[in-house]
mmCIF file of all heavy atoms in Angstrom:
data_model
loop_
_atom_site.group_PDB
_atom_site.id
_atom_site.type_symbol
_atom_site.label_atom_id
_atom_site.label_comp_id
_atom_site.label_asym_id
_atom_site.label_seq_id
_atom_site.Cartn_x
_atom_site.Cartn_y
_atom_site.Cartn_z
ATOM 1 N N LEU S 6 -0.367 15.285 -0.489
ATOM 2 C CA LEU S 6 -0.442 16.431 -1.387
ATOM 3 C C LEU S 6 -0.586 17.698 -0.562
ATOM 4 O O LEU S 6 -1.401 17.748 0.368
ATOM 5 C CB LEU S 6 -1.667 16.336 -2.298
ATOM 6 C CG LEU S 6 -1.742 15.159 -3.244
ATOM 7 C CD1 LEU S 6 -3.172 14.856 -3.609
ATOM 8 C CD2 LEU S 6 -0.939 15.471 -4.484
ATOM 9 N N ILE S 7 0.198 18.705 -0.885
ATOM 10 C CA ILE S 7 0.014 20.039 -0.316
ATOM 11 C C ILE S 7 -0.334 20.945 -1.494
ATOM 12 O O ILE S 7 0.469 21.137 -2.406
ATOM 13 C CB ILE S 7 1.282 20.561 0.395
ATOM 14 C CG1 ILE S 7 1.775 19.578 1.441
ATOM 15 C CG2 ILE S 7 1.018 21.944 0.989
ATOM 16 C CD1 ILE S 7 0.870 19.379 2.630
ATOM 17 N N VAL S 8 -1.561 21.452 -1.479
ATOM 18 C CA VAL S 8 -2.057 22.265 -2.594
ATOM 19 C C VAL S 8 -2.779 23.487 -2.043
ATOM 20 O O VAL S 8 -3.211 23.510 -0.891
ATOM 21 C CB VAL S 8 -3.024 21.456 -3.494
ATOM 22 C CG1 VAL S 8 -2.315 20.286 -4.142
ATOM 23 C CG2 VAL S 8 -4.235 20.976 -2.713
ATOM 24 N N SER S 9 -2.923 24.480 -2.885
ATOM 25 C CA SER S 9 -3.697 25.652 -2.517
ATOM 26 C C SER S 9 -5.152 25.253 -2.318
ATOM 27 O O SER S 9 -5.695 24.456 -3.088
ATOM 28 C CB SER S 9 -3.596 26.712 -3.615
ATOM 29 O OG SER S 9 -4.515 27.755 -3.365
ATOM 30 N N GLU S 10 -5.782 25.825 -1.298
ATOM 31 C CA GLU S 10 -7.206 25.532 -1.080
ATOM 32 C C GLU S 10 -8.057 25.935 -2.277
ATOM 33 O O GLU S 10 -9.105 25.347 -2.513
ATOM 34 C CB GLU S 10 -7.715 26.249 0.177
ATOM 35 C CG GLU S 10 -7.347 25.538 1.441
ATOM 36 C CD GLU S 10 -8.072 26.112 2.638
ATOM 37 O OE1 GLU S 10 -7.795 27.270 2.990
ATOM 38 O OE2 GLU S 10 -8.917 25.392 3.190
ATOM 39 N N ARG S 11 -7.590 26.912 -3.048
ATOM 40 C CA ARG S 11 -8.344 27.340 -4.229
ATOM 41 C C ARG S 11 -8.469 26.221 -5.253
ATOM 42 O O ARG S 11 -9.434 26.174 -6.000
ATOM 43 C CB ARG S 11 -7.685 28.558 -4.879
ATOM 44 C CG ARG S 11 -7.767 29.814 -4.032
ATOM 45 C CD ARG S 11 -7.001 30.911 -4.683
ATOM 46 N NE ARG S 11 -5.610 30.464 -4.814
ATOM 47 C CZ ARG S 11 -4.579 31.227 -5.064
ATOM 48 N NH1 ARG S 11 -4.760 32.505 -5.257
ATOM 49 N NH2 ARG S 11 -3.373 30.752 -5.135
ATOM 50 N N GLU S 12 -7.485 25.330 -5.318
ATOM 51 C CA GLU S 12 -7.502 24.238 -6.287
ATOM 52 C C GLU S 12 -7.950 22.906 -5.669
ATOM 53 O O GLU S 12 -7.918 21.874 -6.326
ATOM 54 C CB GLU S 12 -6.118 24.058 -6.918
ATOM 55 C CG GLU S 12 -5.826 25.059 -8.021
ATOM 56 C CD GLU S 12 -5.491 26.432 -7.477
ATOM 57 O OE1 GLU S 12 -4.701 26.521 -6.530
ATOM 58 O OE2 GLU S 12 -6.033 27.423 -7.995
ATOM 59 N N LEU S 13 -8.375 22.934 -4.426
ATOM 60 C CA LEU S 13 -8.729 21.697 -3.733
ATOM 61 C C LEU S 13 -9.835 20.921 -4.441
ATOM 62 O O LEU S 13 -9.756 19.697 -4.571
ATOM 63 C CB LEU S 13 -9.123 22.008 -2.288
ATOM 64 C CG LEU S 13 -9.406 20.803 -1.399
ATOM 65 C CD1 LEU S 13 -8.216 19.861 -1.345
ATOM 66 C CD2 LEU S 13 -9.793 21.270 -0.004
ATOM 67 N N GLU S 14 -10.857 21.603 -4.918
ATOM 68 C CA GLU S 14 -11.956 20.903 -5.602
ATOM 69 C C GLU S 14 -11.460 20.186 -6.860
ATOM 70 O O GLU S 14 -11.890 19.068 -7.150
ATOM 71 C CB GLU S 14 -13.094 21.864 -5.944
ATOM 72 C CG GLU S 14 -13.915 22.260 -4.745
ATOM 73 C CD GLU S 14 -14.528 21.072 -4.007
ATOM 74 O OE1 GLU S 14 -15.067 20.154 -4.668
ATOM 75 O OE2 GLU S 14 -14.455 21.057 -2.763
ATOM 76 N N LEU S 15 -10.556 20.813 -7.615
ATOM 77 C CA LEU S 15 -9.992 20.164 -8.801
ATOM 78 C C LEU S 15 -9.203 18.917 -8.413
ATOM 79 O O LEU S 15 -9.275 17.886 -9.096
ATOM 80 C CB LEU S 15 -9.079 21.129 -9.554
ATOM 81 C CG LEU S 15 -9.741 22.323 -10.225
ATOM 82 C CD1 LEU S 15 -8.682 23.269 -10.764
ATOM 83 C CD2 LEU S 15 -10.670 21.853 -11.322
ATOM 84 N N VAL S 16 -8.466 18.996 -7.323
ATOM 85 C CA VAL S 16 -7.694 17.848 -6.853
ATOM 86 C C VAL S 16 -8.631 16.718 -6.430
ATOM 87 O O VAL S 16 -8.417 15.554 -6.783
ATOM 88 C CB VAL S 16 -6.746 18.259 -5.703
ATOM 89 C CG1 VAL S 16 -6.125 17.046 -5.034
ATOM 90 C CG2 VAL S 16 -5.672 19.201 -6.221
ATOM 91 N N ILE S 17 -9.685 17.050 -5.711
ATOM 92 C CA ILE S 17 -10.638 16.030 -5.270
ATOM 93 C C ILE S 17 -11.323 15.377 -6.462
ATOM 94 O O ILE S 17 -11.515 14.155 -6.492
ATOM 95 C CB ILE S 17 -11.646 16.640 -4.278
ATOM 96 C CG1 ILE S 17 -10.923 16.937 -2.966
ATOM 97 C CG2 ILE S 17 -12.833 15.715 -4.054
ATOM 98 C CD1 ILE S 17 -11.728 17.711 -1.963
ATOM 99 N N GLU S 18 -11.668 16.164 -7.476
ATOM 100 C CA GLU S 18 -12.254 15.587 -8.699
ATOM 101 C C GLU S 18 -11.278 14.611 -9.350
ATOM 102 O O GLU S 18 -11.680 13.536 -9.808
ATOM 103 C CB GLU S 18 -12.619 16.694 -9.688
ATOM 104 C CG GLU S 18 -13.825 17.499 -9.308
ATOM 105 C CD GLU S 18 -14.077 18.656 -10.267
ATOM 106 O OE1 GLU S 18 -13.576 18.625 -11.416
ATOM 107 O OE2 GLU S 18 -14.773 19.604 -9.850
#
Side-chain angles (χ1 to χ4, degrees):
L6 298 155
I7 306 293
V8 297
S9 170
E10 280 191 293
R11 292 175 300 196
E12 280 76 45
L13 185 57
E14 286 303 316
L15 292 172
V16 170
I17 289 172
E18 287 175 20

